C-alpha cells in the first residue's frame, strides 16, 4: 500500500496493528491534528469508522461497543482538551473492565509549553484509570521506529484485552503536513516488515495467561459444597455472555443451591429453574430472611444493586467465595473469605463435576417464596390502570424479543428492572454502566451496543440521564443507527426522594429534585426520532414493539415523582407480606 507521506504511513501502521489485534470499530472525533489518524481509519481494511462530533458521547459509544463485543473500539481525538472529554468513559471502562483503546493526537515537542493553540500536557492524561500509556513519538522513516510503533500498538491492544481489561492510551504527536498531501520521505528504504507488518497477524502477538481458575482452589470449594446444603449462588452485574446463564443453571442443579440473579448479570434471562428474580422483596420478609441465611455463598460478577439483599448477605456469616473474571475485587464489606480468578463459566463447569444434588427442599423453599411474591406482583399490576415506574420496567422487558439487548440507566431504572422484571428462559442481553454507576453517557453507550450488535436494542432511562446525554441522539441520526429509547419522565431526580435528604432540607426540590419541565417531543423532532407517549401498559408494549422494527424511536412515559416512593414501599410490603407465616416462620 502506497502512502502519500510519512504521517499517513505512521497512522496506517498504528491502526493496522490495532485491527490485527481485534479492533473493529474506530470512533473518530473531528479535529485537525488527528487528520492522519482519521484518514487512515477509512483506509485500513476491517475497520468500521463512526464519526461522532462530541468527544464525551464518542467515549461512551466506544464503551458500549466494548461492553457488547468484549473487543476494544479505538477512540480518536485531536490535541488539547478534546481527549479530556473521554475521561468519564475511560473511568467506566476501568471500573467495569471494558477494553478500550484511546488515541490522542498531539502537537510536536517544539510547540509544547510556549502557548501554541490546542496544546496541553497529554502524558498520562487519564491517570490511574488507564491500564497502559505510551507516547509513541514523532513519525520517523526508519525500520526501528516503525517496528517499535507496530509492536507498541500490538502490546497496547493486548493489555486492553487481558485481565483486568480496561482502557489503554497512546499519545500520537504529528508535525505538518496533516493532510494526505504527497511528500517524499524515503519509503523505498524501508523494509516490507516495517511498511506492512506481518500479513494477517500482529507484529508481536502476546498470549495472555490462562483464564482457567486454579484447579486446587476449585477442588477446595467443591469439597466445601459437598459438605454444605445451605448454599446460595449470587450473580451481580456482569457483561459477558459466554454461556454463563447455562453454566449457572447447571451449577445450581449440581449443588442444589438457588440463584440470586441480578437483571444485568447475564444469568436471569436464558437460564432455567432455580433462578430468583424477586429476591429483594422476599428478603424483606424478616422470618424468611432470618431462617434462610446461607452457610456458603458462591459469588459471581459485581456487587448487588439493591441494598437489602447485599446487607443480608454481608450479615449472614456465610463463607463467601468470590469468582472474579477480571481479577476485580468487588467486596467493599470485606466478607469474601476466598477469591478465585479466571473464567466464571469455566469455574461453574469445574465445580459442577461430580455433583448432582438437584433442587431439593432448601432451594424449593426459596422458589416457593418467589412464586408467592410473583403472584402478588401480578395481582397488584392487574389492579392498576396507571403506568407506575415498576410497571414500566416490567412491561419494557416483557416486550423484548429473544436475543434483544436492553441497556438500563443507573439510578431508578436499573433498580426497578432488577426488582420487578421477571426472569425467563428466553435469552436477553441486559447491560448497564455499573462500574462508576453514573448516569452520564447512557444514550451513547446504548448506541454503541446497538451499533456493535446489529440486534434490536432498547434503552430504559430516567429523564435526567436522558437529558444529560440527549446529544447522543445525533449519532443515531447521522449514522442511521436503530435504537428505541424509553424515558421514564418524573420531571426530576426520582432516586433522591428515597434518600434521607428528601426530608432534611427545604431546598430539596431545586437542589436534588431538579424539576426541568422539558417537553421531550422537541428532542425527538430535533434528532428525527419517531415520538411516542403511551399512557397504558398495552400502549407501552405496542410502542416498544413498533420501535424494535427499526429506526430511532423516543418513548416518553410520564409518572408522578411525588407518589413514587410510597408506591414502591407499599408494593414491596405487599409482596413480602404474601409470604405470610409460611413454613419459615
Amino acid at each position: 500500500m502506497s502512502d502519500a507521506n510519512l504521517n499517513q504511513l505512521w497512522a496506517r501502521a498504528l491502526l493496522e496493528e490495532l485491527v490485527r489485534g481485534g479492533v473493529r470499530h474506530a470512533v473518530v472525533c473531528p479535529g485537525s491534528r488527528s487528520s492522519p489518524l482519521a484518514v487512515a481509519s477509512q483506509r485500513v481494511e476491517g475497520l468500521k469508522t463512526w464519526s461522532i462530533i462530541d468527544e464525551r458521547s464518542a467515549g461512551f459509544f466506544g464503551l458500549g461497543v466494548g461492553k457488547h463485543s468484549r473487543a476494544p473500539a479505538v477512540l480518536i481525538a485531536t490535541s488539547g482538551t478534546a481527549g479530556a472529554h473521554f475521561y468519564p468513559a475511560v473511568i467506566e471502562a476501568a471500573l467495569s473492565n471494558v477494553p478500550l483503546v484511546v488515541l490522542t493526537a498531539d502537537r510536536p515537542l517544539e510547540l509544547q509549553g510556549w502557548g501554541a493553540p490546542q496544546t496541553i500536557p497529554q502524558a498520562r492524561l487519564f491517570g490511574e484509570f488507564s491500564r497502559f500509556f505510551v507516547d509513541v513519538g514523532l513519525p520517523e522513516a526508519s525500520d526501528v521506529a516503525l517496528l517499535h510503533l507496530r509492536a507498541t500498538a500490538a502490546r497496547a491492544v493486548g493489555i486492553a484485552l487481558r485481565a483486568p481489561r480496561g482502557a489503554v492510551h497512546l499519545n500520537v504527536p504529528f508535525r505538518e503536513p496533516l493532510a494526505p498531501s504527497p511528500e517524499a520521505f524515503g519509503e523505498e528504504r524501508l523494509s516490507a516488515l516495517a511498511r506492512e507488518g506481518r500479513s494477517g497477524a500482529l507484529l508481536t502477538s502476546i498470549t495472555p495467561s490462562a483464564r482457567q481458575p486454579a484447579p486446587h482452589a476449585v477442588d477446595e470449594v467443591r469439597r466445601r459444597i459437598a459438605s454444605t446444603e445451605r448454599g446460595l449462588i449470587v450473580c451481580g452485574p456482569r457483561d459477558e455472555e459466554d454461556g454463563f446463564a447455562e453454566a449457572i443453571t447447571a451449577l445450581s442443579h449440581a449443588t442444589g443451591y438457588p440463584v440470586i440473579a441480578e437483571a444485568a448479570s447475564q444469568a436471569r434471562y436464558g437460564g432455567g429453574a432455580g433462578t430468583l428474580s424477586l429476591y429483594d422483596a422476599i428478603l424483606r420478609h424478616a422470618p424468611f430472611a432470618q431462617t434462610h441465611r446461607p452457610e456458603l455463598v458462591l459469588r459471581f460478577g459485581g456487587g448487588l444493586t439493591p441494598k437489602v439483599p447485599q446487607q443480608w448477605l454481608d450479615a449472614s456469616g456465610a463463607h463467601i467465595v468470590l469468582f472474579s473474571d477480571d481479577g476485580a475485587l468487588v467486596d467493599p464489606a470485606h466478607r469474601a473469605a476466598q477469591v478465585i480468578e479466571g473464567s466464571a463459566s469455566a469455574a461453574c463447569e469445574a465445580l459442577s463435576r461430580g455433583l448432582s444434588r438437584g433442587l431439593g427442599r432448601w432451594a424449593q423453599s426459596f422458589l416457593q417464596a418467589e412464586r408467592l411474591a410473583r403472584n402478588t406482583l401480578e395481582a397488584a399490576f392487574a389492579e392498576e390502570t396507571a403506568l407506575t415506574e415498576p410497571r414500566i420496567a416490567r412491561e419494557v422487558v416483557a416486550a423484548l424479543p429473544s436475543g434483544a439487548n436492553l441497556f438500563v440507566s443507573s439510578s431508578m431504572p436499573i433498580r426497578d428492572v432488577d426488582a420487578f422484571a421477571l426472569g425467563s428462559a428466553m435469552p436477553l442481553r441486559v447491560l448497564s454502566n455499573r462500574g462508576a454507576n453514573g448516569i452520564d453517557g447512557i444514550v451513547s453507550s446504548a448506541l454503541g451496543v446497538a451499533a456493535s450488535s446489529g440486534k434490536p436494542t432498547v434503552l430504559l432511562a430516567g429523564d435526567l440521564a436522558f437529558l444529560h446525554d440527549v446529544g447522543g441522539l445525533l449519532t443515531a441520526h447521522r449514522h442511521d443507527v436503530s435504537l428505541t429509547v424509553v424515558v421514564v419522565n418524573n420531571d426530576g431526580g426520582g432516586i433522591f426522594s428515597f434518600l434521607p435528604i428528601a426530608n432534611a432540607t427545604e431546598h430539596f426540590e431545586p437542589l436534588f429534585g431538579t424539576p426541568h419541565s422539558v417537553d421531550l417531543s422537541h428532542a425527538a423532532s430535533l434528532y428525527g426520532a419517531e415520538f411516542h407517549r403511551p399512557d397504558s401498559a398495552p400502549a407501552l408494549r405496542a410502542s416498544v414493539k413498533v420501535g424494535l422494527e427499526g429506526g430511532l424511536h423516543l418513548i416518553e412515559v410520564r409518572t408522578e415523582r411525588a407518589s413514587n416512593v410510597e408506591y414502591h414501599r407499599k408494593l414491596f410490603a405487599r409482596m413480602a407480606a404474601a409470604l405470610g407465616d409460611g413454613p419459615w416462620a
Side-chain angles (χ1 to χ4, degrees):
M1 181 182 293
S2 178
D3 299 282
N5 56 46
L6 176 57
N7 284 345
Q8 289 300 307
L9 169 60
W10 195 257
R12 175 177 64 81
L14 175 54
L15 290 176
E16 276 179 348
E17 291 300 320
L18 296 182
V19 169
R20 290 166 184 172
V23 173
R24 294 294 178 266
H25 296 266
V27 186
V28 180
C29 301
S32 176
R33 191 60 51 169
S34 53
S35 297
L37 294 168
V39 172
S41 74
Q42 294 281 27
R43 297 181 64 204
V44 172
E45 188 176 349
L47 197 58
K48 167 71 174 175
T49 300
W50 304 88
S51 168
I52 298 183
I53 294 170
D54 174 10
E55 284 86 1
R56 188 181 70 171
S57 177
F60 280 102
F61 184 94
L63 181 84
V65 168
K67 284 182 79 71
H68 176 269
S69 67
R70 309 310 292 162
V74 56
L75 309 179
I76 297 174
T78 191
S79 62
T81 60
H85 292 275
F86 293 151
Y87 211 147
V90 169
I91 292 173
E92 181 63 29
L95 298 183
S96 55
N97 301 115
V98 176
L100 191 65
V101 177
V102 179
L103 304 182
T104 52
D106 203 357
R107 299 194 171 226
L109 184 63
E110 63 268 20
L111 295 180
Q112 301 287 334
W114 290 94
Q118 283 191 296
T119 306
I120 67 170
Q122 294 180 190
R124 306 194 183 280
L125 185 61
F126 306 112
E128 65 181 85
F129 297 105
S130 175
R131 299 279 190 255
F132 177 70
F133 168 77
V134 168
D135 186 307
V136 300
L138 286 160
E140 181 182 320
S142 70
D143 275 21
V144 66
L146 277 161
L147 292 174
H148 180 264
L149 175 71
R150 287 183 178 276
T152 299
R155 182 182 180 192
V157 74
I159 290 172
L161 284 166
R162 79 182 185 206
R165 286 172 288 193
V168 295
H169 175 206
L170 301 182
N171 196 55
V172 192
F174 291 104
R175 291 192 178 101
E176 295 184 355
L178 302 174
S181 50
E183 183 178 272
F185 59 93
E187 184 176 13
E188 67 282 356
R189 295 193 300 270
L190 298 171
S191 69
L193 185 62
R195 287 197 316 269
E196 307 299 335
R198 303 187 197 281
S199 178
L202 287 162
L203 182 75
T204 305
S205 180
I206 302 173
T207 303
S209 57
R211 295 190 65 222
Q212 297 299 313
H216 70 277
V218 172
D219 289 343
E220 180 184 333
V221 176
R222 192 190 297 111
R223 287 192 295 271
R224 189 178 287 271
I225 291 171
S227 62
T228 308
E229 290 189 7
R230 293 171 63 95
L232 190 62
I233 300 168
V234 177
C235 301
R238 185 177 181 274
D239 291 339
E240 255 179 299
E241 275 183 309
D242 64 358
F244 185 62
E246 296 88 345
I248 283 290
T249 298
L251 180 61
S252 174
H253 284 260
T255 60
Y257 297 168
V259 180
I260 284 179
E262 184 154 332
S265 66
Q266 316 314 322
R268 181 178 291 193
Y269 302 100
T275 302
L276 306 171
S277 303
L278 305 179
Y279 54 90
D280 194 2
I282 67 177
L283 291 175
R284 292 170 188 249
H285 185 273
F288 181 90
Q290 181 63 36
T291 56
H292 286 74
R293 291 180 181 270
E295 296 172 1
L296 175 61
V297 174
L298 309 179
R299 267 195 53 204
F300 299 87
L304 295 177
T305 297
K307 281 187 175 180
V308 169
Q310 188 62 60
Q311 291 172 344
W312 174 76
L313 284 172
D314 292 341
S316 67
H319 183 91
I320 298 178
V321 183
L322 172 60
F323 294 88
S324 175
D325 288 272
D326 270 299
L329 294 176
V330 185
D331 184 34
H334 308 297
R335 294 297 191 270
Q338 188 175 2
V339 178
I340 299 178
E341 296 183 1
S343 164
S345 294
C348 290
E349 293 168 9
L351 289 171
S352 299
R353 290 191 204 110
L355 298 172
S356 56
R357 259 195 202 127
L359 299 177
R361 182 180 300 177
W362 166 253
Q364 291 299 334
S365 183
F366 279 88
L367 296 174
Q368 181 184 355
E370 170 100 350
R371 284 190 291 271
L372 293 171
R374 180 184 294 232
N375 292 340
T376 302
L377 180 64
E378 296 290 354
F381 284 158
E383 294 167 7
E384 62 190 33
T385 56
L387 268 173
T388 60
E389 295 188 18
R391 182 73 181 271
I392 293 167
R394 186 247 198 193
E395 295 299 332
V396 168
V397 172
L400 297 176
S402 176
N405 302 309
L406 174 65
F407 202 97
V408 190
S409 174
S410 291
S411 198
M412 287 309 297
I414 188 62
R415 287 168 170 80
D416 285 338
V417 169
D418 193 60
F420 306 112
L422 304 174
S424 72
M426 185 179 71
L428 297 174
R429 189 83 178 272
V430 182
L431 298 166
S432 186
N433 288 342
R434 300 306 290 165
N437 299 344
I439 64 166
D440 45 347
I442 297 300
V443 174
S444 300
S445 298
L447 282 168
V449 170
S452 172
S453 67
K455 293 182 178 181
T457 302
V458 173
L459 165 64
L460 178 61
D463 48 321
L464 294 191
F466 172 72
L467 291 172
H468 201 281
D469 192 32
V470 67
L473 294 179
L474 181 59
T475 298
H477 176 74
R478 292 182 68 227
H479 290 282
D480 196 26
V481 178
S482 292
L483 180 69
T484 300
V485 182
V486 181
V487 180
V488 181
N489 186 0
N490 56 28
D491 194 29
I495 195 169
F496 295 109
S497 297
F498 288 80
L499 304 178
I501 193 66
N503 301 311
T505 174
E506 68 273 22
H507 305 297
F508 175 78
E509 272 300 289
L511 296 178
F512 301 95
T514 56
H516 51 79
S517 303
V518 173
D519 184 345
L520 299 187
S521 66
H522 298 310
S525 298
L526 181 62
Y527 295 109
E530 185 173 337
F531 184 71
H532 312 252
R533 190 176 280 152
D535 58 2
S536 67
L540 174 57
R541 282 205 199 194
S543 295
V544 172
K545 289 181 182 297
V546 169
L548 290 170
E549 293 175 3
L552 180 60
H553 294 257
L554 177 57
I555 303 172
E556 179 192 19
V557 188
R558 292 182 171 178
T559 65
E560 291 294 330
R561 180 158 48 90
S563 60
N564 188 44
V565 175
E566 187 60 24
Y567 179 81
H568 275 78
R569 288 173 180 161
K570 287 182 177 179
L571 187 57
F572 273 125
R574 182 172 173 179
M575 293 165 69
L579 274 64
D581 295 332
W584 36 75

